[in-house]
Amino acid sequence: MGALEEVLGHLATRENWLVLVHEKPDGDTLGSAAALVSLGLRLGKKVLWGGKDEVPSHYDFLAIDFPYEIFPSMPFERLEDDALVLCIDTSTAERSVGGLTDALARYTVINIDHHADNARFGTVDWIDREASATGEMITELMARSPWGITPAEAKALYVAIVSDNGGFRFASTSIRSHECAIELLRAGASPSAIARELDSNLTAEVLRLWSRALARTEVFADGRGALFWLVNEDFDATGCTQSATENLVNFLLRVKGAALVALVSEAGESVRVSLRAQEPMNARTVAQRFGGGGHDLAAGCRAEGSAASLLPELRRIMEEHIAGRSSGAR
């Protein structure tokens, strides 16, 4: 039995589901999770869903008629003995809610992900490195099941896919990506409506926050690298939370010639780094230097301290990486 079939079996037989998204949730983890939650409700399951961080406001349109909850740690007191824990698009247990490792001793933990560096922490690990998004995997799972895909689920899964493959622009996009999109269009997804909801939902506060980062843009390594940053005071001044930085780093890929870019964002006493790359650069290789990970072209990490303390070292490592890759070194 393959992993997909094993997951289908657990979904069919388990009556209590906890669906978890990763920290700082993006469109792929949220769209994929929302579709599964909707499926669970259709099947009459007892469902909880959420994660350690809030949902970015620009994904509010994804909301299904069931509350997303913030879980600082595993809600053990609300789970039954045969609970099924579904970790969606989450490469390590540390990127999920606290106590997930403890849950492995008590529940079946299903790890569904497409990250190449997934730590395979689940009871069942369904990892597909060839998928451009976890949304592709969930689309195929639901299409293969006897339950089908509703229009609302198709919308959520389409958002998941286009969020991670850049609207079919990134190198990870494949024939399979488009085949999944066809499946979702047949199920009722509307690409034009989804594009409007994804692209036309920034608030004035978010724009003010982004303008602070854009004003600090630094371009280096003969134009091949670029970065900008935000500090705690920027969030205080604009009234924004960390969720407002979703997709901001992608703006730097619009710099002509830029192939490795980064957003450094203070979050209290720590710093989050979001990295994006274009071939032959590798964002994951840089993130791993700071204990992080992700995809070849999209990765991230977290470090203690301030943006000011991290920036010189990050810039140096990015310059070294760009020089090595530009000269043909691997």
mmCIF file of all heavy atoms in Angstrom, residues 222-273:
data_model
loop_
_atom_site.group_PDB
_atom_site.id
_atom_site.type_symbol
_atom_site.label_atom_id
_atom_site.label_comp_id
_atom_site.label_asym_id
_atom_site.label_seq_id
_atom_site.Cartn_x
_atom_site.Cartn_y
_atom_site.Cartn_z
ATOM 1 N N ASP A 222 27.061 42.603 -7.783
ATOM 2 C CA ASP A 222 26.854 42.968 -9.184
ATOM 3 C C ASP A 222 25.397 42.826 -9.616
ATOM 4 O O ASP A 222 25.099 42.417 -10.749
ATOM 5 C CB ASP A 222 27.753 42.131 -10.104
ATOM 6 C CG ASP A 222 29.230 42.403 -9.889
ATOM 7 O OD1 ASP A 222 29.575 43.568 -9.614
ATOM 8 O OD2 ASP A 222 30.038 41.457 -9.971
ATOM 9 N N GLY A 223 24.496 43.134 -8.687
ATOM 10 C CA GLY A 223 23.074 43.100 -9.002
ATOM 11 C C GLY A 223 22.431 41.739 -8.885
ATOM 12 O O GLY A 223 21.227 41.605 -9.116
ATOM 13 N N ARG A 224 23.192 40.716 -8.480
ATOM 14 C CA ARG A 224 22.650 39.361 -8.390
ATOM 15 C C ARG A 224 21.956 39.098 -7.055
ATOM 16 O O ARG A 224 21.182 38.157 -6.926
ATOM 17 C CB ARG A 224 23.773 38.334 -8.599
ATOM 18 C CG ARG A 224 24.487 38.466 -9.923
ATOM 19 C CD ARG A 224 23.684 37.883 -11.051
ATOM 20 N NE ARG A 224 23.794 36.425 -11.082
ATOM 21 C CZ ARG A 224 22.989 35.634 -11.769
ATOM 22 N NH1 ARG A 224 21.973 36.149 -12.444
ATOM 23 N NH2 ARG A 224 23.165 34.326 -11.765
ATOM 24 N N GLY A 225 22.267 39.931 -6.057
ATOM 25 C CA GLY A 225 21.655 39.759 -4.750
ATOM 26 C C GLY A 225 20.936 41.019 -4.312
ATOM 27 O O GLY A 225 21.275 42.125 -4.724
ATOM 28 N N ALA A 226 19.910 40.843 -3.474
ATOM 29 C CA ALA A 226 19.171 41.985 -2.946
ATOM 30 C C ALA A 226 18.529 41.587 -1.628
ATOM 31 O O ALA A 226 18.178 40.423 -1.413
ATOM 32 C CB ALA A 226 18.105 42.453 -3.934
ATOM 33 N N LEU A 227 18.395 42.545 -0.749
ATOM 34 C CA LEU A 227 17.697 42.300 0.515
ATOM 35 C C LEU A 227 17.106 43.588 1.050
ATOM 36 O O LEU A 227 17.479 44.694 0.633
ATOM 37 C CB LEU A 227 18.628 41.651 1.548
ATOM 38 C CG LEU A 227 19.904 42.365 1.994
ATOM 39 C CD1 LEU A 227 19.660 43.509 2.953
ATOM 40 C CD2 LEU A 227 20.861 41.358 2.654
ATOM 41 N N PHE A 228 16.139 43.445 1.951
ATOM 42 C CA PHE A 228 15.607 44.561 2.731
ATOM 43 C C PHE A 228 15.154 44.022 4.076
ATOM 44 O O PHE A 228 15.207 42.813 4.314
ATOM 45 C CB PHE A 228 14.510 45.337 2.003
ATOM 46 C CG PHE A 228 13.393 44.527 1.367
ATOM 47 C CD1 PHE A 228 13.068 43.243 1.792
ATOM 48 C CD2 PHE A 228 12.626 45.068 0.345
ATOM 49 C CE1 PHE A 228 12.016 42.524 1.231
ATOM 50 C CE2 PHE A 228 11.581 44.360 -0.230
ATOM 51 C CZ PHE A 228 11.278 43.093 0.217
ATOM 52 N N TRP A 229 14.732 44.918 4.972
ATOM 53 C CA TRP A 229 14.438 44.455 6.316
ATOM 54 C C TRP A 229 13.376 45.313 6.989
ATOM 55 O O TRP A 229 13.099 46.450 6.590
ATOM 56 C CB TRP A 229 15.706 44.415 7.170
ATOM 57 C CG TRP A 229 16.322 45.762 7.428
ATOM 58 C CD1 TRP A 229 16.102 46.581 8.495
ATOM 59 C CD2 TRP A 229 17.267 46.446 6.600
ATOM 60 N NE1 TRP A 229 16.843 47.734 8.391
ATOM 61 C CE2 TRP A 229 17.576 47.670 7.230
ATOM 62 C CE3 TRP A 229 17.899 46.143 5.374
ATOM 63 C CZ2 TRP A 229 18.463 48.589 6.686
ATOM 64 C CZ3 TRP A 229 18.783 47.057 4.836
ATOM 65 C CH2 TRP A 229 19.063 48.251 5.490
ATOM 66 N N LEU A 230 12.785 44.717 8.035
ATOM 67 C CA LEU A 230 11.816 45.394 8.886
ATOM 68 C C LEU A 230 12.218 45.173 10.337
ATOM 69 O O LEU A 230 12.719 44.103 10.695
ATOM 70 C CB LEU A 230 10.408 44.833 8.651
ATOM 71 C CG LEU A 230 9.773 45.122 7.297
ATOM 72 C CD1 LEU A 230 8.551 44.228 7.076
ATOM 73 C CD2 LEU A 230 9.377 46.588 7.191
ATOM 74 N N VAL A 231 11.964 46.167 11.177
ATOM 75 C CA VAL A 231 12.270 46.058 12.600
ATOM 76 C C VAL A 231 10.968 46.142 13.400
ATOM 77 O O VAL A 231 9.908 46.487 12.863
ATOM 78 C CB VAL A 231 13.263 47.151 13.051
ATOM 79 C CG1 VAL A 231 14.599 46.971 12.345
ATOM 80 C CG2 VAL A 231 12.702 48.542 12.777
ATOM 81 N N ASN A 232 11.057 45.820 14.669
ATOM 82 C CA ASN A 232 9.857 45.801 15.510
ATOM 83 C C ASN A 232 9.094 47.119 15.460
ATOM 84 O O ASN A 232 7.857 47.133 15.459
ATOM 85 C CB ASN A 232 10.243 45.486 16.950
ATOM 86 C CG ASN A 232 10.697 44.041 17.139
ATOM 87 O OD1 ASN A 232 10.127 43.132 16.540
ATOM 88 N ND2 ASN A 232 11.716 43.828 17.954
ATOM 89 N N GLU A 233 9.827 48.222 15.418
ATOM 90 C CA GLU A 233 9.183 49.533 15.409
ATOM 91 C C GLU A 233 8.325 49.750 14.170
ATOM 92 O O GLU A 233 7.328 50.479 14.210
ATOM 93 C CB GLU A 233 10.240 50.642 15.497
ATOM 94 C CG GLU A 233 10.919 50.753 16.846
ATOM 95 C CD GLU A 233 11.984 49.678 17.080
ATOM 96 O OE1 GLU A 233 12.279 48.904 16.133
ATOM 97 O OE2 GLU A 233 12.519 49.614 18.203
ATOM 98 N N ASP A 234 8.689 49.100 13.063
ATOM 99 C CA ASP A 234 7.892 49.229 11.835
ATOM 100 C C ASP A 234 6.507 48.614 12.017
ATOM 101 O O ASP A 234 5.496 49.168 11.558
ATOM 102 C CB ASP A 234 8.601 48.548 10.664
ATOM 103 C CG ASP A 234 9.917 49.209 10.302
ATOM 104 O OD1 ASP A 234 9.992 50.449 10.356
ATOM 105 O OD2 ASP A 234 10.867 48.480 9.971
ATOM 106 N N PHE A 235 6.453 47.481 12.692
ATOM 107 C CA PHE A 235 5.162 46.840 12.941
ATOM 108 C C PHE A 235 4.333 47.667 13.926
ATOM 109 O O PHE A 235 3.120 47.829 13.749
ATOM 110 C CB PHE A 235 5.384 45.425 13.476
ATOM 111 C CG PHE A 235 6.010 44.496 12.480
ATOM 112 C CD1 PHE A 235 7.379 44.268 12.488
ATOM 113 C CD2 PHE A 235 5.231 43.869 11.518
ATOM 114 C CE1 PHE A 235 7.964 43.417 11.555
ATOM 115 C CE2 PHE A 235 5.807 43.014 10.583
ATOM 116 C CZ PHE A 235 7.179 42.799 10.611
ATOM 117 N N ASP A 236 4.992 48.211 14.939
ATOM 118 C CA ASP A 236 4.278 49.046 15.912
ATOM 119 C C ASP A 236 3.709 50.296 15.245
ATOM 120 O O ASP A 236 2.554 50.678 15.492
ATOM 121 C CB ASP A 236 5.227 49.458 17.044
ATOM 122 C CG ASP A 236 5.677 48.286 17.891
ATOM 123 O OD1 ASP A 236 4.974 47.256 17.885
ATOM 124 O OD2 ASP A 236 6.726 48.400 18.549
ATOM 125 N N ALA A 237 4.494 50.927 14.377
ATOM 126 C CA ALA A 237 4.084 52.182 13.756
ATOM 127 C C ALA A 237 2.937 52.011 12.773
ATOM 128 O O ALA A 237 2.102 52.905 12.611
ATOM 129 C CB ALA A 237 5.281 52.833 13.057
ATOM 130 N N THR A 238 2.885 50.858 12.106
ATOM 131 C CA THR A 238 1.852 50.641 11.094
ATOM 132 C C THR A 238 0.676 49.832 11.606
ATOM 133 O O THR A 238 -0.342 49.701 10.915
ATOM 134 C CB THR A 238 2.454 49.907 9.873
ATOM 135 O OG1 THR A 238 3.017 48.656 10.302
ATOM 136 C CG2 THR A 238 3.532 50.758 9.209
ATOM 137 N N GLY A 239 0.814 49.273 12.805
ATOM 138 C CA GLY A 239 -0.263 48.453 13.352
ATOM 139 C C GLY A 239 -0.395 47.096 12.699
ATOM 140 O O GLY A 239 -1.445 46.451 12.789
ATOM 141 N N CYS A 240 0.667 46.628 12.052
ATOM 142 C CA CYS A 240 0.638 45.341 11.367
ATOM 143 C C CYS A 240 1.276 44.251 12.220
ATOM 144 O O CYS A 240 2.073 44.524 13.115
ATOM 145 C CB CYS A 240 1.398 45.428 10.037
ATOM 146 S SG CYS A 240 0.607 46.476 8.794
ATOM 147 N N THR A 241 0.940 43.005 11.911
ATOM 148 C CA THR A 241 1.570 41.849 12.535
ATOM 149 C C THR A 241 2.490 41.177 11.517
ATOM 150 O O THR A 241 2.539 41.561 10.341
ATOM 151 C CB THR A 241 0.520 40.841 13.017
ATOM 152 O OG1 THR A 241 -0.180 40.322 11.864
ATOM 153 C CG2 THR A 241 -0.476 41.503 13.966
ATOM 154 N N GLN A 242 3.195 40.137 11.975
ATOM 155 C CA GLN A 242 4.102 39.418 11.090
ATOM 156 C C GLN A 242 3.397 38.855 9.859
ATOM 157 O O GLN A 242 3.998 38.722 8.793
ATOM 158 C CB GLN A 242 4.782 38.281 11.858
ATOM 159 C CG GLN A 242 5.965 38.713 12.698
ATOM 160 C CD GLN A 242 7.168 39.075 11.852
ATOM 161 O OE1 GLN A 242 7.391 38.513 10.787
ATOM 162 N NE2 GLN A 242 7.934 40.039 12.327
ATOM 163 N N SER A 243 2.129 38.552 9.987
ATOM 164 C CA SER A 243 1.407 37.975 8.849
ATOM 165 C C SER A 243 1.361 38.914 7.655
ATOM 166 O O SER A 243 1.186 38.472 6.521
ATOM 167 C CB SER A 243 -0.015 37.595 9.271
ATOM 168 O OG SER A 243 -0.776 38.747 9.603
ATOM 169 N N ALA A 244 1.559 40.210 7.896
ATOM 170 C CA ALA A 244 1.510 41.194 6.811
ATOM 171 C C ALA A 244 2.714 41.101 5.877
ATOM 172 O O ALA A 244 2.720 41.724 4.811
ATOM 173 C CB ALA A 244 1.414 42.604 7.386
ATOM 174 N N THR A 245 3.738 40.324 6.248
ATOM 175 C CA THR A 245 4.917 40.207 5.395
ATOM 176 C C THR A 245 4.778 39.110 4.344
ATOM 177 O O THR A 245 5.663 38.941 3.512
ATOM 178 C CB THR A 245 6.175 39.926 6.232
ATOM 179 O OG1 THR A 245 6.033 38.659 6.891
ATOM 180 C CG2 THR A 245 6.396 41.019 7.269
ATOM 181 N N GLU A 246 3.673 38.362 4.376
ATOM 182 C CA GLU A 246 3.468 37.292 3.407
ATOM 183 C C GLU A 246 3.589 37.822 1.982
ATOM 184 O O GLU A 246 2.925 38.803 1.604
ATOM 185 C CB GLU A 246 2.088 36.660 3.616
ATOM 186 C CG GLU A 246 1.688 35.627 2.597
ATOM 187 C CD GLU A 246 2.459 34.320 2.764
ATOM 188 O OE1 GLU A 246 3.032 34.108 3.838
ATOM 189 O OE2 GLU A 246 2.458 33.533 1.798
ATOM 190 N N ASN A 247 4.460 37.207 1.181
ATOM 191 C CA ASN A 247 4.706 37.528 -0.232
ATOM 192 C C ASN A 247 5.546 38.778 -0.448
ATOM 193 O O ASN A 247 5.907 39.087 -1.596
ATOM 194 C CB ASN A 247 3.393 37.675 -1.024
ATOM 195 C CG ASN A 247 2.647 36.360 -1.146
ATOM 196 O OD1 ASN A 247 3.252 35.307 -1.289
ATOM 197 N ND2 ASN A 247 1.323 36.419 -1.063
ATOM 198 N N LEU A 248 5.886 39.522 0.598
ATOM 199 C CA LEU A 248 6.666 40.745 0.418
ATOM 200 C C LEU A 248 8.019 40.458 -0.222
ATOM 201 O O LEU A 248 8.471 41.203 -1.108
ATOM 202 C CB LEU A 248 6.848 41.445 1.771
ATOM 203 C CG LEU A 248 7.803 42.653 1.819
ATOM 204 C CD1 LEU A 248 7.393 43.715 0.810
ATOM 205 C CD2 LEU A 248 7.837 43.234 3.233
ATOM 206 N N VAL A 249 8.690 39.399 0.194
ATOM 207 C CA VAL A 249 10.025 39.108 -0.331
ATOM 208 C C VAL A 249 10.012 38.905 -1.836
ATOM 209 O O VAL A 249 11.003 39.177 -2.527
ATOM 210 C CB VAL A 249 10.626 37.874 0.382
ATOM 211 C CG1 VAL A 249 9.847 36.607 0.046
ATOM 212 C CG2 VAL A 249 12.091 37.705 0.041
ATOM 213 N N ASN A 250 8.889 38.453 -2.395
ATOM 214 C CA ASN A 250 8.830 38.205 -3.839
ATOM 215 C C ASN A 250 9.040 39.467 -4.659
ATOM 216 O O ASN A 250 9.428 39.388 -5.834
ATOM 217 C CB ASN A 250 7.490 37.560 -4.199
ATOM 218 C CG ASN A 250 7.341 36.165 -3.622
ATOM 219 O OD1 ASN A 250 8.316 35.454 -3.434
ATOM 220 N ND2 ASN A 250 6.111 35.780 -3.314
ATOM 221 N N PHE A 251 8.771 40.634 -4.040
ATOM 222 C CA PHE A 251 8.979 41.897 -4.768
ATOM 223 C C PHE A 251 10.424 42.028 -5.213
ATOM 224 O O PHE A 251 10.711 42.588 -6.275
ATOM 225 C CB PHE A 251 8.589 43.086 -3.884
ATOM 226 C CG PHE A 251 7.237 43.646 -4.198
ATOM 227 C CD1 PHE A 251 6.108 43.078 -3.635
ATOM 228 C CD2 PHE A 251 7.094 44.721 -5.045
ATOM 229 C CE1 PHE A 251 4.851 43.580 -3.925
ATOM 230 C CE2 PHE A 251 5.840 45.233 -5.342
ATOM 231 C CZ PHE A 251 4.713 44.662 -4.780
ATOM 232 N N LEU A 252 11.373 41.538 -4.414
ATOM 233 C CA LEU A 252 12.780 41.706 -4.751
ATOM 234 C C LEU A 252 13.187 40.903 -5.978
ATOM 235 O O LEU A 252 14.188 41.215 -6.629
ATOM 236 C CB LEU A 252 13.659 41.323 -3.563
ATOM 237 C CG LEU A 252 13.691 42.322 -2.404
ATOM 238 C CD1 LEU A 252 14.638 41.839 -1.323
ATOM 239 C CD2 LEU A 252 14.101 43.712 -2.876
ATOM 240 N N LEU A 253 12.436 39.856 -6.304
ATOM 241 C CA LEU A 253 12.743 39.105 -7.520
ATOM 242 C C LEU A 253 12.432 39.916 -8.773
ATOM 243 O O LEU A 253 12.805 39.513 -9.882
ATOM 244 C CB LEU A 253 11.963 37.789 -7.540
ATOM 245 C CG LEU A 253 12.448 36.710 -6.568
ATOM 246 C CD1 LEU A 253 11.533 35.500 -6.634
ATOM 247 C CD2 LEU A 253 13.889 36.304 -6.871
ATOM 248 N N ARG A 254 11.748 41.049 -8.597
ATOM 249 C CA ARG A 254 11.478 41.929 -9.739
ATOM 250 C C ARG A 254 12.655 42.845 -10.046
ATOM 251 O O ARG A 254 12.650 43.541 -11.066
ATOM 252 C CB ARG A 254 10.232 42.769 -9.468
ATOM 253 C CG ARG A 254 8.975 41.932 -9.263
ATOM 254 C CD ARG A 254 7.745 42.801 -9.143
ATOM 255 N NE ARG A 254 6.554 41.995 -8.931
ATOM 256 C CZ ARG A 254 5.322 42.480 -8.924
ATOM 257 N NH1 ARG A 254 5.107 43.776 -9.103
ATOM 258 N NH2 ARG A 254 4.289 41.681 -8.719
ATOM 259 N N VAL A 255 13.663 42.856 -9.169
ATOM 260 C CA VAL A 255 14.870 43.641 -9.441
ATOM 261 C C VAL A 255 15.616 42.997 -10.604
ATOM 262 O O VAL A 255 15.920 41.802 -10.564
ATOM 263 C CB VAL A 255 15.777 43.703 -8.192
ATOM 264 C CG1 VAL A 255 17.080 44.434 -8.527
ATOM 265 C CG2 VAL A 255 15.059 44.408 -7.052
ATOM 266 N N LYS A 256 15.899 43.753 -11.626
ATOM 267 C CA LYS A 256 16.540 43.208 -12.819
ATOM 268 C C LYS A 256 17.869 42.555 -12.460
ATOM 269 O O LYS A 256 18.729 43.175 -11.843
ATOM 270 C CB LYS A 256 16.761 44.325 -13.839
ATOM 271 C CG LYS A 256 17.292 43.828 -15.176
ATOM 272 C CD LYS A 256 17.387 44.959 -16.182
ATOM 273 C CE LYS A 256 17.885 44.457 -17.527
ATOM 274 N NZ LYS A 256 17.964 45.555 -18.530
ATOM 275 N N GLY A 257 18.007 41.292 -12.804
ATOM 276 C CA GLY A 257 19.243 40.572 -12.561
ATOM 277 C C GLY A 257 19.332 39.881 -11.225
ATOM 278 O O GLY A 257 20.229 39.058 -11.005
ATOM 279 N N ALA A 258 18.418 40.166 -10.293
ATOM 280 C CA ALA A 258 18.479 39.570 -8.955
ATOM 281 C C ALA A 258 18.135 38.084 -9.026
ATOM 282 O O ALA A 258 17.121 37.695 -9.604
ATOM 283 C CB ALA A 258 17.540 40.285 -8.006
ATOM 284 N N ALA A 259 18.984 37.255 -8.402
ATOM 285 C CA ALA A 259 18.765 35.813 -8.421
ATOM 286 C C ALA A 259 18.716 35.213 -7.018
ATOM 287 O O ALA A 259 18.357 34.048 -6.876
ATOM 288 C CB ALA A 259 19.858 35.127 -9.231
ATOM 289 N N LEU A 260 19.088 35.995 -5.996
ATOM 290 C CA LEU A 260 19.007 35.543 -4.610
ATOM 291 C C LEU A 260 18.621 36.741 -3.761
ATOM 292 O O LEU A 260 19.351 37.733 -3.716
ATOM 293 C CB LEU A 260 20.340 34.968 -4.134
ATOM 294 C CG LEU A 260 20.371 34.441 -2.696
ATOM 295 C CD1 LEU A 260 19.425 33.256 -2.532
ATOM 296 C CD2 LEU A 260 21.792 34.036 -2.299
ATOM 297 N N VAL A 261 17.455 36.666 -3.096
ATOM 298 C CA VAL A 261 16.933 37.825 -2.366
ATOM 299 C C VAL A 261 16.456 37.397 -0.990
ATOM 300 O O VAL A 261 16.157 36.221 -0.755
ATOM 301 C CB VAL A 261 15.781 38.500 -3.141
ATOM 302 C CG1 VAL A 261 16.236 38.909 -4.541
ATOM 303 C CG2 VAL A 261 14.567 37.570 -3.234
ATOM 304 N N ALA A 262 16.370 38.375 -0.078
ATOM 305 C CA ALA A 262 15.985 38.050 1.293
ATOM 306 C C ALA A 262 15.230 39.195 1.941
ATOM 307 O O ALA A 262 15.539 40.375 1.712
ATOM 308 C CB ALA A 262 17.222 37.726 2.126
ATOM 309 N N LEU A 263 14.260 38.834 2.770
ATOM 310 C CA LEU A 263 13.593 39.749 3.687
ATOM 311 C C LEU A 263 13.976 39.340 5.098
ATOM 312 O O LEU A 263 13.792 38.193 5.495
ATOM 313 C CB LEU A 263 12.074 39.686 3.533
ATOM 314 C CG LEU A 263 11.255 40.330 4.666
ATOM 315 C CD1 LEU A 263 11.488 41.839 4.716
ATOM 316 C CD2 LEU A 263 9.773 40.016 4.526
ATOM 317 N N VAL A 264 14.513 40.293 5.857
ATOM 318 C CA VAL A 264 14.835 40.082 7.269
ATOM 319 C C VAL A 264 13.794 40.840 8.077
ATOM 320 O O VAL A 264 13.584 42.035 7.867
ATOM 321 C CB VAL A 264 16.252 40.593 7.589
ATOM 322 C CG1 VAL A 264 16.542 40.467 9.081
ATOM 323 C CG2 VAL A 264 17.282 39.826 6.778
ATOM 324 N N SER A 265 13.130 40.134 8.989
ATOM 325 C CA SER A 265 12.013 40.733 9.722
ATOM 326 C C SER A 265 12.116 40.416 11.202
ATOM 327 O O SER A 265 12.106 39.241 11.585
ATOM 328 C CB SER A 265 10.689 40.200 9.152
ATOM 329 O OG SER A 265 9.587 40.700 9.856
ATOM 330 N N GLU A 266 12.225 41.448 12.025
ATOM 331 C CA GLU A 266 12.271 41.228 13.464
ATOM 332 C C GLU A 266 10.905 40.786 13.981
ATOM 333 O O GLU A 266 9.865 41.288 13.541
ATOM 334 C CB GLU A 266 12.702 42.505 14.183
ATOM 335 C CG GLU A 266 14.162 42.869 13.961
ATOM 336 C CD GLU A 266 14.615 44.078 14.765
ATOM 337 O OE1 GLU A 266 13.742 44.726 15.401
ATOM 338 O OE2 GLU A 266 15.819 44.385 14.761
ATOM 339 N N ALA A 267 10.939 39.841 14.911
ATOM 340 C CA ALA A 267 9.713 39.345 15.545
ATOM 341 C C ALA A 267 9.992 39.230 17.033
ATOM 342 O O ALA A 267 10.359 38.167 17.519
ATOM 343 C CB ALA A 267 9.296 38.009 14.959
ATOM 344 N N GLY A 268 9.867 40.339 17.731
ATOM 345 C CA GLY A 268 10.205 40.351 19.152
ATOM 346 C C GLY A 268 11.695 40.251 19.353
ATOM 347 O O GLY A 268 12.469 41.084 18.847
ATOM 348 N N GLU A 269 12.135 39.192 20.051
ATOM 349 C CA GLU A 269 13.557 39.005 20.342
ATOM 350 C C GLU A 269 14.273 38.158 19.289
ATOM 351 O O GLU A 269 15.461 37.876 19.427
ATOM 352 C CB GLU A 269 13.723 38.337 21.715
ATOM 353 C CG GLU A 269 13.137 39.125 22.862
ATOM 354 C CD GLU A 269 13.793 40.497 23.013
ATOM 355 O OE1 GLU A 269 15.019 40.569 22.907
ATOM 356 O OE2 GLU A 269 13.050 41.486 23.220
ATOM 357 N N SER A 270 13.553 37.762 18.255
ATOM 358 C CA SER A 270 14.166 36.944 17.205
ATOM 359 C C SER A 270 13.982 37.605 15.847
ATOM 360 O O SER A 270 13.323 38.641 15.715
ATOM 361 C CB SER A 270 13.558 35.539 17.198
ATOM 362 O OG SER A 270 12.175 35.594 16.887
ATOM 363 N N VAL A 271 14.582 36.984 14.839
ATOM 364 C CA VAL A 271 14.543 37.514 13.481
ATOM 365 C C VAL A 271 14.155 36.393 12.528
ATOM 366 O O VAL A 271 14.681 35.279 12.613
ATOM 367 C CB VAL A 271 15.924 38.074 13.064
ATOM 368 C CG1 VAL A 271 15.852 38.674 11.661
ATOM 369 C CG2 VAL A 271 16.409 39.112 14.053
ATOM 370 N N ARG A 272 13.215 36.688 11.636
ATOM 371 C CA ARG A 272 12.829 35.733 10.612
ATOM 372 C C ARG A 272 13.439 36.174 9.287
ATOM 373 O O ARG A 272 13.443 37.356 8.950
ATOM 374 C CB ARG A 272 11.307 35.683 10.476
ATOM 375 C CG ARG A 272 10.611 34.993 11.652
ATOM 376 C CD ARG A 272 9.103 35.074 11.514
ATOM 377 N NE ARG A 272 8.420 34.204 12.472
ATOM 378 C CZ ARG A 272 7.109 34.170 12.647
ATOM 379 N NH1 ARG A 272 6.318 34.956 11.921
ATOM 380 N NH2 ARG A 272 6.571 33.351 13.521
ATOM 381 N N VAL A 273 13.925 35.206 8.529
ATOM 382 C CA VAL A 273 14.511 35.479 7.219
ATOM 383 C C VAL A 273 13.758 34.675 6.172
ATOM 384 O O VAL A 273 13.646 33.444 6.289
ATOM 385 C CB VAL A 273 16.008 35.108 7.174
ATOM 386 C CG1 VAL A 273 16.591 35.435 5.792
ATOM 387 C CG2 VAL A 273 16.774 35.842 8.269
#
